[in-house]
Amino acid sequence: MAPPPAPSPPVYVNPCVPSPCGLNAQCQDIGGSPSCSCLANYMGIPPNCRPECSINSECPSNKACMKEKCRDPCPGSCGAGAQCSVINHTPVCVCPSGYTGDPFTNCYLKPVIANEPVETDRCSPSPCGTNAQCTDGTCTCLPEYQGDPYSGCRPECVLSTDCDRSKACIRNKCMDPCPNTCGQGARCDVVNHIPICSCPEGTSGNAFVECRAVPPPVVTQPCNPSPCGPNSQCREINGQAVCSCVPGFLGSPPACRPECVVSSECAQNEACSNQKCRNPCPGTCGVGARCEVVNHNPICSCPVRYTGDPFVRCQPIRKNPLTADIPLVQKNPCQPSPCGPNAQCQVSGDSPSCSCLPEYQGSPPNCRPQCVSNSECASHLACIKQKCQDPCPGSCGVGAECRVVSHTPNCICPSGFQGDPFIHCTIQVADDQIRPTPCSPSPCGPNAICREQNGAGSCTCLSDYTGNPYEGCRPECVLNTDCPSNRACIRNKCQDPCPGTCGQNADCQVVNHLPSCTCHPGYMGDPFRYCSIKLQEEPNIAQEDPCKPNPCGSNSICREVNGQAVCSCQPNYIGSPPGCRPECVVSSECPQNRACISQKCTDPCPGTCGLNARCEVINHSPICTCSSGFTGDPFARCFQIPSM
């Protein structure tokens, strides 16, 4: 009698292929069952893993949403010697007392002029703030600056969050980051200030270099053609295509992208160099000079008691002992020059007249070359010899094509050619097994984690969550009323809403969960923006004006009616005097489906999610998910699920 046939070995089926965990999550095979967890830097529970933030209003008022993280926007935002404070997510730069200049570039000591003849000039001393000019006592902002000229003008933007979501802050201007960012044949879409490059349907390749038509498949293989998208690698495991991003790229397929393509994607004290966020200072300034990074750009200056061209060399200031005691018959106002480095001084009517040297730009004493780092040039140019120039000539090999992507020349061989495009192009002649645990399937409720303990599953709430882990855990708060009266519910935590909410020289007090701002005693202005010292007015004995001084408080209007002061709030402010305030300063003041953006309760969805994704506002935060029949990263782009 023949022996029975040997049983065939069981066929291993990976429960993580395809992954049931959703986007931004990782799957592990535990005892034949999938175990899901969110990727690093993502929060929530699968399949609803999301970044820490996608808009500013999801962060505390003294933080800004930068690269999907709540960070301090001050480093690198202000100029040398300036002070920075964060007000409603925006860095505000001011020069300290006794200093003057552009706080976004450089603050320097106010010059002390002795024995100056007294003249009646309405512009001396100037009543204007920084970056403003005075004409017969009237202040106006300098070109390309905006704001209140009497308190201070600022550039169009300092952070990308100052711009519409379809633009990025590039060289203090809200601009479209797409031009010259993506490769040949690629399409560019701006999602939440960031350019997203992708190959159109029917093409493939590195979207940051070149997209080419997909050749017809010769052999049916799961990785040929690759379903993983650009900048990714495909591995065949048990007949399934497993996708991952190539080293040096971030995200998850099919939305793998480099660390940066424009400087606005980096921290303010870094610049995008060769698709990496790096410190632009090393090797930029001259010998003995100091370097500070302001808004992605390296700013060079000579230290105190040093002089010279900070882009070449700084040397100590030496006094001439031979001329120290010689009385001057007529002092030359240009000796020593008050104009600063890279500037020339001319005498005009016994007064110095300063102008920048040729090939330098700006205004004295802040004359500087056209560029010192790539981030100061347009994306299709590079900083070569302190000039913004095309980096392509001489970069590529014979027969290669050159295209500039994010200041960097990219060389490729044309279609039908092969070889090293930087030299010459010629014509083309198994997984470790994990033992099963009692946590699969998990006996825990939502927002709880399971750990094996004495052969059984033990449930505990996730960090920052409370409740019964076997039924479900909840965050510390969802509404303001879940918190004490001196706290507000911000990002599901009971926090002090004051930091970063009020302007300079203002006090903050929490009243019924809401921050209330008032100017310091002796100061006046908008406490949500800036308070300045009150000017003492001479008493008018002949006729008393009930509106002088204004009894109505800040952000209010006073009108005289029958000799009485009648108070009302300014347009776009709510409440009643003296408690007029903006519509909102924190998102908890808005309905649950709105977020506080620029002191207005606004729908945070427009421009937040990627292509083919839908947006739903939950607890002031935009939640992005792929539409039915689509898959991908909803914060970048969703792709249609191919039919099997």
Side-chain angles (χ1 to χ4, degrees):
M1 186 173 180
S8 58
V11 178
Y12 171 72
V13 177
N14 190 345
C16 288
V17 179
S19 174
C21 300
L23 267 299
N24 305 317
Q26 58 186 356
C27 178
Q28 289 182 314
D29 178 9
I30 299 180
S33 298
S35 175
C36 300
S37 59
C38 291
L39 293 172
N41 300 326
Y42 285 83
M43 57 194 305
I45 56 174
N48 297 316
C49 299
R50 65 187 310 271
E52 181 180 0
C53 65
S54 54
I55 57 174
N56 279 343
S57 57
E58 296 183 76
C59 301
S61 297
N62 60 342
K63 296 284 192 295
C65 188
M66 303 166 64
K67 296 181 72 176
E68 297 182 339
K69 286 281 188 181
C70 291
R71 298 175 177 172
D72 181 4
C74 268
S77 295
C78 300
Q83 296 176 342
C84 180
S85 60
V86 185
I87 299 175
N88 201 21
H89 314 290
T90 302
V92 177
C93 305
V94 294
C95 288
S97 176
Y99 285 73
T100 186
D102 181 356
F104 295 93
T105 304
N106 188 20
C107 294
Y108 53 91
L109 278 170
K110 290 182 180 178
V112 179
I113 303 176
N115 302 324
E116 186 71 15
V118 179
E119 298 181 2
T120 57
D121 186 356
R122 299 180 63 187
C123 288
S124 181
S126 175
C128 307
T130 55
N131 302 316
Q133 56 190 357
C134 179
T135 306
D136 195 23
T138 302
C139 300
T140 55
C141 288
L142 292 173
E144 299 185 353
Y145 284 78
Q146 57 191 13
D148 182 0
Y150 293 92
S151 60
C153 303
R154 68 193 309 270
E156 181 180 359
C157 65
V158 178
L159 301 173
S160 289
T161 50
D162 297 333
C163 306
D164 291 337
R165 291 192 180 97
S166 61
K167 290 182 169 36
C169 189
I170 303 173
R171 301 188 301 282
N172 293 122
K173 285 286 189 181
C174 291
M175 302 170 63
D176 181 4
C178 270
N180 303 293
T181 296
C182 301
Q184 290 180 331
R187 61 177 293 179
C188 181
D189 300 284
V190 183
V191 178
N192 208 15
H193 314 292
I194 296 175
I196 303 296
C197 301
S198 59
C199 288
E201 187 176 357
T203 63
S204 66
N206 187 341
F208 294 92
V209 178
E210 184 188 32
C211 293
R212 296 180 177 179
V214 177
V218 179
V219 181
T220 303
Q221 296 178 352
C223 285
N224 187 20
S226 173
C228 301
N231 307 315
S232 62
Q233 55 189 359
C234 180
R235 291 176 299 158
E236 180 182 351
I237 298 178
N238 297 325
Q240 300 286 339
V242 177
C243 301
S244 60
C245 293
V246 298
F249 283 76
L250 309 176
S252 57
C256 299
R257 64 187 316 274
E259 183 179 357
C260 65
V261 289
V262 291
S263 289
S264 57
E265 297 180 68
C266 302
Q268 291 291 98
N269 58 347
E270 293 181 328
C272 189
S273 174
N274 198 20
Q275 298 183 341
K276 293 284 185 181
C277 290
R278 296 188 174 98
N279 182 358
C281 269
T284 297
C285 301
V287 178
R290 65 180 182 182
C291 180
E292 293 185 70
V293 185
V294 177
N295 198 19
H296 313 293
N297 298 326
I299 303 298
C300 303
S301 61
C302 287
V304 180
R305 293 188 291 275
Y306 279 71
T307 186
D309 185 348
F311 300 98
V312 180
R313 178 183 291 273
C314 294
Q315 52 194 8
I317 299 175
R318 294 183 175 88
K319 295 183 179 180
N320 190 346
L322 300 177
T323 60
D325 299 327
I326 300 176
L328 297 178
V329 178
Q330 184 176 2
K331 184 179 180 180
N332 186 347
C334 285
Q335 295 293 334
S337 175
C339 301
N342 305 317
Q344 57 187 354
C345 180
Q346 294 177 321
V347 180
S348 176
D350 297 330
S351 298
S353 176
C354 300
S355 60
C356 290
L357 292 172
E359 298 186 354
Y360 284 82
Q361 59 187 16
S363 58
N366 297 315
C367 298
R368 64 194 314 269
Q370 183 181 3
C371 65
V372 290
S373 71
N374 284 341
S375 58
E376 299 177 77
C377 301
S379 296
H380 66 287
L381 300 175
C383 189
I384 303 172
K385 296 182 179 179
Q386 297 185 339
K387 290 282 188 181
C388 291
Q389 302 178 23
D390 181 6
C392 267
S395 297
C396 300
V398 178
E401 296 177 353
C402 180
R403 189 174 186 274
V404 184
V405 177
S406 186
H407 315 290
T408 303
N410 279 273
C411 304
I412 57 173
C413 288
S415 179
F417 285 74
Q418 63 180 3
D420 185 349
F422 292 92
I423 299 176
H424 188 76
C425 292
T426 58
I427 299 177
Q428 285 180 333
V429 224
D431 299 332
D432 294 333
Q433 296 295 316
I434 304 176
R435 66 182 182 88
T437 69
C439 287
S440 180
S442 174
C444 307
N447 301 317
I449 188 171
C450 180
R451 293 185 178 89
E452 182 183 357
Q453 203 168 40
N454 297 326
S458 175
C459 299
T460 55
C461 288
L462 293 172
S463 177
D464 299 332
Y465 283 80
T466 59
N468 185 347
Y470 296 93
E471 294 181 358
C473 305
R474 69 186 303 270
E476 182 180 1
C477 67
V478 178
L479 302 173
N480 279 341
T481 51
D482 297 333
C483 304
S485 296
N486 63 341
R487 294 289 185 268
C489 189
I490 301 173
R491 297 172 58 241
N492 296 123
K493 299 279 285 182
C494 290
Q495 300 179 12
D496 182 1
C498 273
T501 298
C502 301
Q504 289 190 326
N505 304 318
D507 295 320
C508 183
Q509 185 176 1
V510 184
V511 179
N512 197 21
H513 311 290
L514 302 181
S516 176
C517 303
T518 54
C519 290
H520 292 332
Y523 287 75
M524 62 183 300
D526 183 351
F528 294 93
R529 291 188 174 89
Y530 183 79
C531 296
S532 57
I533 299 177
K534 287 183 180 178
L535 299 176
Q536 295 184 354
E537 300 179 357
E538 296 182 0
N540 190 349
I541 303 175
Q543 181 180 1
E544 292 186 358
D545 187 347
C547 285
K548 289 185 179 180
N550 186 352
C552 302
S554 57
N555 304 317
S556 62
I557 301 172
C558 181
R559 293 175 297 155
E560 180 185 357
V561 178
N562 297 328
Q564 299 290 328
V566 178
C567 300
S568 60
C569 289
Q570 292 181 358
N572 299 326
Y573 283 80
I574 60 176
S576 58
C580 298
R581 65 195 317 272
E583 182 179 356
C584 65
V585 289
V586 290
S587 289
S588 57
E589 297 182 67
C590 302
Q592 294 291 94
N593 63 340
R594 292 291 185 269
C596 189
I597 302 173
S598 300
Q599 296 185 339
K600 290 286 186 182
C601 290
T602 309
D603 182 3
C605 270
T608 298
C609 301
L611 298 177
N612 301 320
R614 62 184 181 185
C615 182
E616 184 179 2
V617 184
I618 299 176
N619 198 19
H620 313 294
S621 299
I623 305 298
C624 302
T625 55
C626 287
S627 303
S628 178
F630 286 77
T631 185
D633 185 351
F635 293 93
R637 188 177 183 184
C638 296
F639 296 84
Q640 191 167 9
I641 298 174
S643 58
M644 300 300 292

